[in-house]
Amino acid sequence: MADTNRRNVLTRLTVGASAALLAGCDKISQSASGSDFLKKGSDLAYKVQRLFAGRDALAPEFSKADIAPVFRPNGTLDPASDDYKAHAANNFRDWRVKVGGLVEHPFELSMADLRAMPPRTQITRHDCVEGWSCIGEWTGAPLRLILAKARPKENARFVLFHCADDMGAGQFYYETLDLVEALHPQTILAYGLNGQPLPVANGAPVRLRAERQLGYKMAKYVNGIELVESFANIRGGNGGYWEDQGYTWWAGI
């Protein structure tokens, strides 16, 4: 019991530190010293979580009675490109998720391929950096099964997610997880929400769910998975679209 209480206290401290950092992110990150402060705080929260929470510690799961009637969408609500519209009109039958980078076996996954994999369904709470939460039931393919098929090379350290939503000037959303988080049991490529196909506003046809992370890590409209050794030379070098705008890379909860 003492160990459980200790873990709970440490988890609350980590969550509190992360929330405080993110709440002040926009103002603090405007200066070089502020950005350095955020990075150090994020690194500390990352180390504490890795040290005490455990590699496979689960995020809380809920009952069907807790599911919100409508799962609140945020971020991009519709990529609206001609290519995406064509896929949506075809019920995403031709959508492909390319898996490559530092892997022994690069391949592509169709939506039929994803649905044919042993699924995982989980009822979890989405915590947004904007301060709201929402509970939904997600169904998808465990990312660990996809990575096992790809066989990451020894120097692979991070999983980079490519997305179809254009954030402006031809710059598409992207996000990264380390391999510990990518291989976590609750990290899935979700194609179902509340027993129905994933709606466009929530990331159709497939999105990332990494349940120990804040919402901006949950990349939507995923069309590529790339194993990399480092993200230092990818786009802004911070590991994700919002991270390049000043958010912390580690968003563990």
Side-chain angles (χ1 to χ4, degrees), residues 21 34-47 248:
L21 286 167
S35 295
D36 184 59
F37 169 76
L38 285 172
K39 183 179 186 305
K40 288 179 179 178
S42 174
D43 289 346
L44 176 61
Y46 179 49
K47 290 175 182 177
T248 56

Side-chain angles (χ1 to χ4, degrees), residues 75-84 95 162-174 220-223 235 241-242 245:
T76 302
L77 302 183
D78 187 342
S81 67
D82 290 342
D83 183 64
Y84 184 83
W95 190 271
H162 297 279
C163 306
D165 40 340
D166 188 340
M167 306 304 289
Q171 190 174 155
F172 291 86
Y173 200 92
Y174 80 106
K220 297 159 72 173
Y221 316 108
V222 174
N223 57 17
R235 303 271 282 277
Y241 173 79
W242 282 113
Q245 319 308 313

Side-chain angles (χ1 to χ4, degrees), residues 113-187:
D113 293 331
L114 282 169
R115 292 189 183 97
M117 301 182 78
R120 178 182 173 89
T121 295
Q122 55 202 29
I123 301 175
T124 53
R125 187 182 65 223
H126 180 102
D127 292 310
C128 182
V129 67
E130 296 170 350
W132 56 268
S133 298
C134 196
I135 293 174
E137 181 183 69
W138 304 93
T139 299
L143 185 58
R144 58 180 11 177
L145 299 183
I146 296 167
L147 297 183
K149 181 177 179 180
R151 302 198 304 273
K153 295 182 178 180
E154 288 187 6
N155 57 333
R157 296 289 181 271
F158 300 93
V159 182
L160 167 65
F161 299 90
H162 297 279
C163 306
D165 40 340
D166 188 340
M167 306 304 289
Q171 190 174 155
F172 291 86
Y173 200 92
Y174 80 106
E175 191 50 79
T176 57
L177 296 176
D178 67 11
L179 279 178
V180 171
E181 214 63 28
L183 295 171
H184 187 266
Q186 291 172 311
T187 300

